[in-house]
């Protein structure tokens, strides 16, 4: 009797579907999109990234590697209508943005449940730590959630420690030290250097309680993924931290583009092209490292006293500079005109100053051989971009996690020189800023510059094939595949 052959080969299982939820702030969205693109390129997972109409254009720079889900920005009585991101937002509204954005929980839940029985079911959630509300969403869907930190592990732990322990200052004193006993070295910071999100906490207030709940939810995540350089933070990665719920932390940074991608528009439209800015910097090719690049990030707006001190110091020292001031920085009257006039009347080699109004191609600038120092607020993305480029920093923290980052760079890594610890409340004198600029430009901080070069070497090594960061990424992909192998009980 003849037998009939039958093909019993089952159709291959679709790759696990991961829902990625960024937070609508440049410094948060960009690195998580970078991570999503890398994960997609390593195959084995499918990713859908959540956006609102205002943030969706940032996905365009990442090609077709990931899918997108654009939802209307949720309304909330504590948050102004028509605003969808932290860019240019008053610091007083940062907490309200966290709480308002949590309004996406219900529509995201509906969207995911519609796909729960098919090949597009959500296998896991990868979300920013400002989106702690995705933790109960994941529980509702019966999947795991991985918390993404765009900040240093140290800074992330400090932030969560505050809302976990709720320490208080003594007698309303802004200089009252607040200790962090569960962190290596038991550091302490004056009250005024803590994040405004915590300093403005009010018991019983809806926004305040919502912000605290956001961070406490993160401590229930299955693990953390941090955009950090292990070499910078080995002491904070050596053992699980109580302030991060004793969760596993994967150090997968720095998520900074390489030289070939430095001119890309990953941060959105720039006020000046990378080619134009680099052509201007080429004029200093015979004097490598002579130009100081200056930027205080996409969110911080310098107070007039700070801007005045820096402008005066630049004019007094005559150091070549590029200052990316954003769109609203209150520069001293006549400063921009004097810089422009000097550029117009001086010879080709004497055009020493340039002011960029708006978003600048920072990665391209930092990777140019003419740039030798970076005056920075110590936002973590800026720190990693400078570290990858080997550019030493002049640290001028203002708020949020910037004081923690600055301490890490100045006191632990030795890759930065302090300009001021006064923050928003106290601007330094122009003479002090000038002294720091002259010391850096005059070669008196060569040891710091050498340390920055070491950071660049470590950054290149860790993201190369076989490097520690790439190994962590491979493990993350395996974890995501396993989460998607079968529905979670």
């Amino acid at each position: 009797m003849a037998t009939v052959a039958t093909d019993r080969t089952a159709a291959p299982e679709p790759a696990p579907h991961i829902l990625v939820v960024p937070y609508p702030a440049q410094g948060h969205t960009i690195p998580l999109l970078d991570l999503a693109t890398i994960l997609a390129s390593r195959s084995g997972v499918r990713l859908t990234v959540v956006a609102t109409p205002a943030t969706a254009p940032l996905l365009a720079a990442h090609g077709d590697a990931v899918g997108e889900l654009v939802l209307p920005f949720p309304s909330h009585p504590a948050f102004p209508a028509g605003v969808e991101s932290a860019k240019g937002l008053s610091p007083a509204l940062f907490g309200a943005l966290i709480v308002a954005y949590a309004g996406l929980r219900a529509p995201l839940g509906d969207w995911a449940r519609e796909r729960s029985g098919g090949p597009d079911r959500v296998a896991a959630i990868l979300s920013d730590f400002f989106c702690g509300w995705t933790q109960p969403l994941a529980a509702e869907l019966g999947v795991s959630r991985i918390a993404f930190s765009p900040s240093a592990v140290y800074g992330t732990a400090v932030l969560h420690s505050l809302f976990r322990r709720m320490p208080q200052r003594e007698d309303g004193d802004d200089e009252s030290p607040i200790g962090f006993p569960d962190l290596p070295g038991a550091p302490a910071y004056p009250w005024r250097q803590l994040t405004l999100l915590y300093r403005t906490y009010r018991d019983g207030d809806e926004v305040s309680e919502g912000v605290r709940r956001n961070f406490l939810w993160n401590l229930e995540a299955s693990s953390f993924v941090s955009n950090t350089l292990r070499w910078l933070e080995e002491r904070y990665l050596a053992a699980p931290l109580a302030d991060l719920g004793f969760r596993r932390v994967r150090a997968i940074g720095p998520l900074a583009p390489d030289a070939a991608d430095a001119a890309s528009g990953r941060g959105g439209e720039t006020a000046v092209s990378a080619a134009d800015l680099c052509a201007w910097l080429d004029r200093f090719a015979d004097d490598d490292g002579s130009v100081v690049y200056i930027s205080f990030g996409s969110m911080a707006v310098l107070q007039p006293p700070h801007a005045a001190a820096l402008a005066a110091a630049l004019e007094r020292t005559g150091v070549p500079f590029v200052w990316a001031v954003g769109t609203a920085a209150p520069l001293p009257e006549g400063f921009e005109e004097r810089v422009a006039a000097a550029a117009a009347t001086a010879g080709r080699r004497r055009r020493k100053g340039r002011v960029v109004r708006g978003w600048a191609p920072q990665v391209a600038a930092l990777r140019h051989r003419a740039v030798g120092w970076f005056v920075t607020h110590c936002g973590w993305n800026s720190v990693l971009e400078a570290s990858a480029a080997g550019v030493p920093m002049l640290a001028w923290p203002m708020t949020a996690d910037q004081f923690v980052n600055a301490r890490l760079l100045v006191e632990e890594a030795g890759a930065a020189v302090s300009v001021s610890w006064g923050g928003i409340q106290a601007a330094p004198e122009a003479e002090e800023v000038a002294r720091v600029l002259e010391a850096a430009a005059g070669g008196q901080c060569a040891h710091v510059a050498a340390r920055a070069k070491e950071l660049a070497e470590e950054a290149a090594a860790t993201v190369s094939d076989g490097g520690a960061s790439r190994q962590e990424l491979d493990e993350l992909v395996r974890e995501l595949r396993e989460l998607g192998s079968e529905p979670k009980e």
Side-chain angles (χ1 to χ4, degrees):
M1 178 177 175
T3 58
V4 179
T6 58
D7 184 2
R8 296 180 180 275
T9 303
E13 287 291 324
H17 182 204
I18 312 303
L19 184 63
V20 181
V21 187
Y23 179 71
Q26 298 277 99
H28 290 246
T29 299
I30 293 171
L32 186 48
L33 288 179
D34 288 340
L35 174 58
T37 302
I38 293 172
L39 291 176
S41 72
R42 300 179 94 76
S43 73
V45 293
R46 293 173 295 144
L47 300 105
T48 296
V49 179
V50 177
T52 66
T55 59
L58 287 175
L59 273 65
H62 295 261
D64 299 324
V66 299
E68 66 176 55
L69 171 61
V70 181
L71 297 172
F73 190 91
S75 62
H76 191 281
F79 197 70
V83 179
E84 295 188 18
S85 76
K87 191 172 183 179
L89 190 69
S90 166
L93 289 171
F94 286 174
L97 175 56
I98 292 174
V99 173
Y101 200 59
L104 288 181
R105 176 176 166 181
L108 267 183
D110 292 341
W111 180 87
R113 278 185 284 271
E114 289 173 0
R115 289 154 179 78
S116 60
D120 287 334
R121 73 174 184 85
V122 172
I125 296 176
L126 173 61
S127 58
D128 190 278
F129 69 17
F130 275 4
C131 299
W133 50 270
T134 55
Q135 184 63 39
L137 172 62
E140 292 171 9
L141 299 175
V143 301
S144 293
R145 180 243 176 170
I146 298 170
F148 173 74
S149 169
S151 302
V153 176
Y154 180 18
T156 304
V158 165
L159 177 62
H160 286 80
S161 178
L162 290 171
F163 287 100
R164 182 176 74 91
R165 299 184 304 108
M166 301 297 287
Q168 299 299 310
R169 58 179 169 170
E170 295 182 3
D171 301 323
D173 182 8
D174 279 354
E175 298 299 326
S176 178
I178 303 299
F180 296 86
D182 295 323
L183 287 175
Y189 289 83
W191 175 266
R192 63 177 176 81
Q193 291 184 359
L194 303 182
T195 175
L196 192 66
L197 281 174
Y198 183 71
R199 288 188 287 122
T200 56
Y201 174 86
R202 288 183 295 151
D203 189 29
D205 175 72
E206 179 192 2
V207 169
S208 293
E209 297 294 350
V211 169
R212 185 182 186 217
R213 190 163 54 246
N214 173 87
F215 294 112
L216 294 182
W217 272 326
N218 289 331
L219 304 183
E220 302 172 16
S222 63
S223 63
F224 281 83
V225 174
S226 179
N227 180 25
T228 192
L229 176 57
R230 176 174 287 275
W231 199 64
L232 266 177
E233 296 206 87
E234 188 63 52
R235 72 186 303 203
Y236 305 104
L237 289 160
L241 300 175
D243 291 320
L244 293 180
F246 294 105
R247 295 309 197 252
R248 164 73 185 270
V249 179
R250 298 188 188 278
I252 49 82
L255 293 171
D258 58 25
D261 295 326
S264 72
R266 66 195 270 273
E269 185 177 355
T270 59
V272 58
S273 71
D276 181 21
L277 184 56
C278 288
W280 187 87
L281 289 168
D282 285 343
R283 296 165 178 165
F284 302 89
D286 294 337
D287 195 7
D288 287 357
S290 63
V291 179
V292 176
Y293 179 76
I294 305 162
S295 174
F296 289 84
S298 61
M299 292 169 57
V301 176
L302 281 184
Q303 300 300 306
H306 299 74
L310 180 52
L314 290 170
E315 292 190 290
R316 184 169 306 175
T317 61
V319 298
F321 69 90
V322 174
W323 188 353
V325 300
T327 58
L331 296 184
E333 184 176 354
F335 175 75
E336 287 182 81
E337 292 76 10
R338 290 192 296 274
V339 171
T345 58
R348 179 182 177 87
R349 294 288 312 281
R350 299 289 297 172
R351 298 182 179 184
K352 288 194 170 183
R354 180 161 185 177
V355 174
V356 177
R357 279 283 182 185
W359 188 261
Q362 180 164 293
V363 172
L366 291 173
R367 290 181 179 271
H368 196 284
R369 59 187 295 181
V371 172
W373 289 88
F374 179 19
V375 177
T376 173
H377 63 313
C378 296
W380 194 241
N381 280 308
S382 290
V383 167
L384 290 182
E385 289 169 359
S387 297
V391 177
M393 288 161 270
L394 300 177
W396 197 342
M398 293 292 171
T399 186
D401 62 348
Q402 296 159 20
F403 289 99
V404 179
N405 299 340
R407 286 258 294 263
L408 179 67
L409 291 166
V410 174
E411 299 176 5
E412 296 188 34
V417 176
S418 171
V419 176
S420 171
W421 295 104
I424 292 176
Q425 296 177 339
E429 296 293 330
E431 291 80 3
E432 178 60 18
V433 180
R435 184 193 65 78
V436 176
L437 289 175
E438 287 173 339
Q444 299 173 35
C445 305
H447 60 294
V448 177
R451 190 66 166 167
K453 297 301 181 187
E454 291 181 38
L455 274 180
E457 293 170 1
E458 290 293 332
T462 196
V463 299
S464 64
D465 289 339
S469 175
R470 286 299 177 257
Q471 291 179 29
E472 290 276 38
L473 279 168
D474 289 340
E475 290 185 16
L476 175 59
V477 170
R478 284 195 291 271
E479 179 183 349
L480 292 172
R481 286 175 182 163
E482 291 170 2
L483 290 173
S485 62
E486 60 183 41
K488 184 180 176 184
E489 293 296 335

